[in-house]
């Protein structure tokens, strides 16, 4: 088992990589037996460092909720990470490519909670708690060399590769079971998927998140934002482009990369 001191040291290593935009070797190169649970503790210690710098937790992300992404990363399970206010880019705002190392962008659906949620929930209970939905873009940027981590503990400790996110305008909960999702870079469609590719249904990602968080005694306050996971593979982010996501029934979301 990882001591508190070791947990903190690994979190600081990842945090320094984030701040200095410097790739580092995988944690499991040093700690071969890093477990999934220990990796989540490293992640939370890293979030603690950000909170100490004045950031606030605004939500949670689910990752690897699509079969295509699990296959691409050769990992078999959905994972969660934390979203802070410093990671939020305004809709159609500017994102500096040079602030990242090797960022990639992916199309998602976001949910917002109207009231707090604690413990395991059914799909119906999860949906009842949702008071807003929107199209969203997540920008990933692994802290590991070449965006290669190969193992669940490595990517979990690295806050599930999360870096930035963009939300479309919130709207009242509507049918989101099987919406086409089209991501474009400038005028070129680069990824097409369906909201059904997200855990079968995006609300299932929230059910899974509550399941996973129960093990850590974490509950979600009202107003929490949930990124439910990508519907397709991610695309490299290039300066001088605009990335947009169209989901019929939801308002468009976009970001300008400079
Ligand atoms: C892990 C994060 C995956 C998603 O939406 O599936 C993720 C990664 O791809 O590095 O955010
Ligand atoms: Mg994602």
């Amino acid at each position: 088992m990882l001591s508190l001191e070791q947990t903190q040291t690994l979190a600081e290593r990842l945090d320094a990589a984030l701040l200095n935009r410097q790739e580092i070797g995988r944690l499991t190169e040093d700690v071969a037996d890093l477990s999934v649970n220990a990796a989540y503790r490293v992640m939370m210690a890293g979030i603690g460092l950000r909170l100490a710098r004045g950031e606030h937790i605004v939500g949670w992300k689910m990752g690897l909720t699509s079969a295509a992404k699990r296959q691409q990363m050769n990992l078999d399970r959905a994972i969660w990470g934390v979203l802070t206010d410093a990671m939020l880019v305004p809709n159609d705002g500017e994102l500096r490519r040079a602030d990242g190392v090797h960022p990639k962008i992916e199309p998602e659906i976001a949910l917002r909670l109207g009231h707090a949620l604690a413990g395991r929930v059914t799909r119906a209970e999860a949906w009842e708690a949702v008071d807003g939905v929107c199209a969203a873009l997540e920008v990933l940027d692994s802290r590991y060399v070449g965006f290669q981590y190969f193992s669940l503990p490595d990517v979990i400790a690295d806050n599930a590769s999360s870096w930035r996110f963009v939300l479309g305008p919130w709207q009242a909960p509507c049918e989101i079971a099987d919406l086409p999702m089209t991501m474009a870079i400038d005028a070129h469609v680069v990824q097409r998927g369906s909201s059904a590719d997200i855990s079968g249904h995006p609300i299932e990602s929230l059910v899974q998140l509550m399941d996973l968080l129960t093990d850590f005694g974490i509950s979600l306050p009202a107003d929490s934002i949930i990124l439910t996971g990508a519907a397709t593979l991610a695309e490299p982010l290039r300066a001088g482009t605009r990335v947009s996501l169209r989901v019929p029934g939801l308002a468009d979301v976009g970001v300008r990369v400079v």
Side-chain angles (χ1 to χ4, degrees):
M1 212 177 108
L2 222 53
S3 70
L4 272 180
E5 210 180 311
Q6 286 171 306
T7 303
Q8 195 65 21
T9 302
L10 295 180
E12 282 166 9
R13 200 191 288 181
L14 282 162
D15 191 58
L18 169 73
L19 291 177
N20 304 327
R21 299 195 288 281
Q22 227 160 37
E23 301 173 299
I24 57 169
R26 286 171 278 128
L27 302 189
T28 52
E29 284 168 9
D30 284 351
V31 188
D33 59 351
L34 186 68
S35 69
V36 161
N37 274 358
Y40 276 117
R41 286 197 300 275
V42 172
M43 180 219 292
M44 289 307 291
I47 296 301
L49 296 172
R50 300 195 205 179
L51 299 187
R53 288 199 288 271
E55 295 181 35
H56 300 281
I57 295 177
V58 294
W60 310 79
K61 67 161 280 184
M62 284 295 284
L64 307 178
T65 53
S66 103
K69 284 224 48 161
R70 284 195 297 274
Q71 235 165 47
Q72 181 191 35
M73 297 303 175
N74 198 23
L75 296 174
D76 63 355
R77 257 185 280 172
I79 57 179
W80 58 271
V82 177
L83 303 173
T84 74
D85 56 344
M87 297 162 69
L88 180 63
V89 178
N91 190 13
D92 216 30
E94 262 184 15
L95 181 59
R96 279 165 46 89
R97 164 67 182 79
D99 287 347
V101 180
H102 33 217
K104 302 192 227 175
I105 191 159
E106 54 188 21
E108 307 214 2
I109 301 278
L111 309 173
R112 188 184 60 200
L113 294 189
H115 63 74
L117 268 186
R120 296 199 163 83
V121 294
T122 62
R123 249 193 206 206
E125 286 164 341
W127 186 244
E128 186 273 327
V130 170
D131 81 344
V133 301
C134 69
L137 292 163
E138 184 182 23
V139 187
L140 302 173
D141 196 15
S142 173
R143 266 53 71 173
Y144 298 119
V145 176
F147 213 123
Q148 298 196 313
Y149 42 74
F150 309 116
S151 84
L152 274 174
D154 282 312
V155 63
I156 289 167
D158 189 24
N159 199 24
S161 307
S162 204
W163 185 52
R164 297 281 189 271
F165 65 106
V166 194
L167 301 173
W170 290 110
Q171 56 193 70
C174 56
E175 183 53 70
I176 53 166
D178 190 10
L179 301 174
M181 298 175 63
T182 309
M183 187 169 77
I185 299 182
D186 298 326
H188 308 285
V189 170
V190 288
Q191 291 288 344
R192 280 180 208 279
S194 159
S195 61
D197 297 327
I198 304 168
S199 304
H201 188 304
I203 197 64
E204 190 59 30
S205 290
L206 176 52
V207 173
Q208 289 173 22
L209 175 66
M210 296 312 297
D211 241 28
L212 293 167
L213 289 182
T214 301
D215 291 345
F216 297 88
I218 299 173
S219 55
L220 305 189
D223 293 330
S224 291
I225 296 162
I226 294 104
L227 284 183
T228 55
T232 71
L233 300 184
E235 291 288 330
L237 206 64
R238 279 178 287 121
T241 62
R242 180 175 183 275
V243 185
S244 60
L245 170 63
R246 172 149 295 177
V247 184
L250 303 180
D252 292 358
V253 59
V255 67
R256 290 174 289 120
V257 189
V258 296

